[in-house]
Amino acid sequence: LPGAVPEEELMNSGHELPEGYTCPLCCLPIALPVARHSSLETCCMKTVCHGCILASRKRGMGKICAFCRTPTAHSDASILAQVRKRVDARDPVATEFLAGAYYRGNYGLQQDIPRAIELWTEAALLGNLIAHFNLGRMYFKGEGVEKDVARGIRHLQ
């Protein structure tokens, strides 16, 4: 057939990993589940593999972010301060992270579902896929918002 894609090309396409599944330092794929083999650095909102974190500590960097060289935050207040700084810079990952913290009531925040939905909406507008998923789930089930199945499906697509 003219213009048909060869089988080998077809079978080798579509295997690119999303940005969050590769380490920004070593550029290697992070083993699944990602949360078990990496850490989210709240100073720069980068997911760094445990291998790069270990290598930076062996080089004497101690409790410093392997990516941006910022001292690692340990208290809830310092983590929130770093995240809010990234939210102010319109970082979609930080905005989604803060929305999740409001939704669950983590890091010393009171649970505030309307604020979480507002932040997820902002993160979705900035292109965060996790925020789209969370909004889709919330609207589809009517959890914290008026049930709107069509709007939920739009976010989930």
Side-chain angles (χ1 to χ4, degrees), residues 80-100:
L80 282 175
Q82 287 182 336
V83 170
R84 284 193 170 115
K85 184 176 178 182
R86 298 296 312 150
V87 169
D88 291 341
R90 299 187 48 82
D91 183 333
V93 176
T95 307
E96 191 281 324
F97 182 91
L98 188 59

Side-chain angles (χ1 to χ4, degrees), residues 16-109:
E16 296 82 25
L17 290 171
E19 184 179 327
Y21 290 95
T22 55
C23 177
L25 292 172
C26 64
C27 299
L28 294 174
I30 299 171
L32 298 174
V34 173
R36 189 169 167 196
H37 300 283
S38 63
S39 295
L40 178 69
E41 301 293 346
T42 55
C43 47
C44 55
M45 300 311 291
K46 298 291 182 187
T47 302
V48 179
C49 73
H50 286 161
C52 288
I53 292 171
L54 177 64
S56 70
R57 292 206 175 129
K58 282 188 172 185
R59 288 189 185 105
M61 290 175 55
K63 303 281 185 184
I64 295 176
C65 174
F67 185 78
C68 69
R69 311 295 196 251
T70 302
T72 308
H74 293 291
S75 69
D76 289 348
S78 60
I79 289 171
L80 282 175
Q82 287 182 336
V83 170
R84 284 193 170 115
K85 184 176 178 182
R86 298 296 312 150
V87 169
D88 291 341
R90 299 187 48 82
D91 183 333
V93 176
T95 307
E96 191 281 324
F97 182 91
L98 188 59
Y102 273 111
Y103 179 74
R104 290 183 292 279
N106 290 349
Y107 302 101
L109 294 172

Side-chain angles (χ1 to χ4, degrees), residues 99-136:
Y102 273 111
Y103 179 74
R104 290 183 292 279
N106 290 349
Y107 302 101
L109 294 172
Q110 289 282 25
Q111 187 177 25
D112 187 354
I113 293 176
R115 177 71 175 136
I117 291 170
E118 178 185 321
L119 287 166
W120 274 326
T121 302
E122 183 180 335
L125 291 172
L126 293 171
N128 187 282
L129 296 178
I130 297 170
H132 274 294
F133 170 78
N134 287 323
L135 285 170

